[in-house]
Amino acid sequence: MKCRRCGRKAIEKLKAYGIALCSECYIGFYEELVERSIRRFRVIKRGERVLACISGGKDSSAMLGVLVALSERLGFEVEALHIDLGIKGYSDKSREISKKLCEMLGVEMNLVSLEEFGFTIDGVERRKVCSACGTVKRYLMNRYARLNGFSVIATGHTSEDVITFFFKNWLSGNFSWSEKFLPRTESFDEKIVTRIRPLYDRSEKENMLYVLCRKLPFLAESCPYAPQDEWKEIVYYIEGRKPGFKRNFVLNLAKYLLEREEKRKESYGYCKLCGEVTTSDVCAFCKLVEKYKK
Ligand code: SF4
Ligand code: ZN
């Protein structure tokens, strides 16, 4: 199997794209894909200060690596944030790997320890660990980014994360999450920092190949609390049968949500009679007044 771009020995055939690439060409290919998505969804604007949250795992390592690679051309700054969750035997390794990664990439690593707030994830009841951990991470990264003047917070969510999240929420009838799971979610309050997901349409496998090709450090073991995720297995199964499923799914989901948002924004205006918010020229109340006023 030869590399489609340079003819050298290919390391992998990428079924979703129908091409085989060598490790050097793969690095360029992956970075082009991420750059294209960043431009397409206006994920990062020129001059923004990005706070990239890294756990030491392959996805966030890939995210930091690619953001640093693209930062000059796309005109943004990037620093990393690692949150020490206090998980015995795991957090120490995550922190050390994150440090190593930042040193290698020449990026400033900011560190927050949950212990400073008087507890650790190990102290939470087993049943509630992951939900508490999610709360902790969202809270600490938002606060840290705001207090230190970052414009956006970047997380390493992948297409698998988006799809499994979609299924779980859709099936439990929870639809309000969806607007929040876009490549870029604008802040709606001065205390909330805009969130971005630069790997929104990248798969875990693409990220893994990128960190391997670039020899970026990452922690291969997963968190001891990580639940077995059947939805992910289902998503992998579909991708195996229908290569390209994941990418098309998330791209169309983003397109749909963004169009809906645009329509919603467009359709709002002010009533020409009373000035209240309405979706038509004259609001429903004024129509009633006109109709029934004696
Ligand atoms: Fe936190 Fe570990 Fe659960 Fe992930 S698996 S949310 S790191 S406790
Ligand atoms: Zn090549």
Side-chain angles (χ1 to χ4, degrees), residues 9-274:
K9 192 171 178 292
I11 44 149
E12 186 79 32
K13 169 141 194 196
L14 304 159
K15 285 204 191 109
Y17 308 91
I19 54 168
L21 293 169
C22 71
S23 73
E24 232 163 87
C25 293
Y26 178 75
I27 294 173
F29 177 75
Y30 177 92
E31 290 174 357
E32 283 160 26
L33 288 177
V34 176
E35 181 174 346
R36 209 181 301 159
S37 297
I38 289 180
R39 290 184 188 277
R40 178 175 185 175
F41 295 111
R42 295 191 193 89
V43 176
I44 306 173
K45 297 174 185 160
R46 247 172 212 286
E48 281 189 326
R49 283 187 76 211
V50 179
L51 183 65
C53 296
I54 54 167
S55 64
K58 65 180 187 323
D59 301 312
S60 57
S61 288
M63 174 182 72
L64 188 62
V66 70
L67 286 180
V68 171
L70 297 174
S71 59
E72 220 179 280
R73 192 162 60 247
L74 299 181
F76 60 86
E77 277 173 46
V78 54
E79 282 185 27
L81 171 69
H82 178 77
I83 298 173
D84 187 333
L85 298 163
I87 299 172
K88 200 168 176 287
Y90 176 74
S91 288
D92 288 347
K93 288 184 221 161
S94 314
R95 195 185 54 240
E96 287 318 305
I97 297 258
S98 300
K99 265 192 199 155
K100 223 166 111 188
L101 175 73
C102 289
E103 273 166 26
M104 197 175 147
L105 295 170
V107 173
E108 170 93 25
M109 184 174 106
N110 302 273
L111 178 69
V112 177
S113 292
L114 181 55
E115 217 171 8
E116 291 164 27
F117 295 82
F119 76 108
T120 64
I121 289 300
D122 278 340
V124 175
E125 299 142 77
R126 180 85 206 204
R127 225 161 31 86
K128 297 184 177 158
V129 164
C130 288
S131 120
C133 185
T135 305
V136 159
K137 288 189 278 199
R138 282 190 298 274
Y139 180 89
L140 292 179
M141 61 195 189
N142 183 66
R143 204 176 135 101
Y144 193 88
R146 190 184 73 236
L147 295 178
N148 293 281
F150 288 93
S151 356
V152 295
I153 296 168
T155 53
H157 289 103
T158 65
S159 61
E160 288 91 348
D161 295 322
V162 178
I163 299 171
T164 52
F165 207 62
F166 173 84
F167 279 137
K168 286 180 198 166
N169 283 278
W170 188 267
L171 293 174
S172 60
N174 176 15
F175 308 120
S176 58
W177 68 275
S178 52
E179 278 80 7
K180 291 198 176 147
F181 226 71
L182 283 163
R184 178 175 174 116
T185 312
E186 287 305 330
S187 156
F188 56 89
D189 187 282
E190 60 184 18
K191 290 205 158 178
I192 299 288
V193 179
T194 294
R195 294 276 301 270
I196 61 168
R197 301 164 188 96
L199 306 185
Y200 182 85
D201 55 334
R202 301 280 67 75
S203 70
E204 290 182 342
K205 189 175 158 193
E206 288 167 31
N207 298 339
M208 177 62 110
L209 270 178
Y210 182 69
V211 292
L212 291 176
C213 290
R214 278 197 63 188
K215 301 191 174 62
L216 296 177
F218 69 96
L219 184 59
E221 74 188 73
S222 38
C223 171
Y225 298 116
Q228 203 203 349
D229 199 335
E230 280 156 345
W231 276 111
K232 244 178 209 174
E233 287 165 25
I234 293 167
V235 169
Y236 282 125
Y237 174 77
I238 304 176
E239 179 74 26
R241 299 294 304 267
K242 292 274 167 209
F245 156 75
K246 288 187 288 197
R247 199 162 149 258
N248 288 325
F249 192 103
V250 292
L251 287 177
N252 285 316
L253 182 65
K255 207 170 134 200
Y256 168 74
L257 292 173
L258 289 170
E259 270 173 20
R260 222 173 60 151
E261 209 174 77
E262 276 310 303
K263 277 210 187 91
R264 218 181 35 216
K265 272 191 219 147
E266 268 171 28
S267 59
Y268 275 115
Y270 301 104
C271 172
K272 64 180 183 190
L273 296 179
C274 72

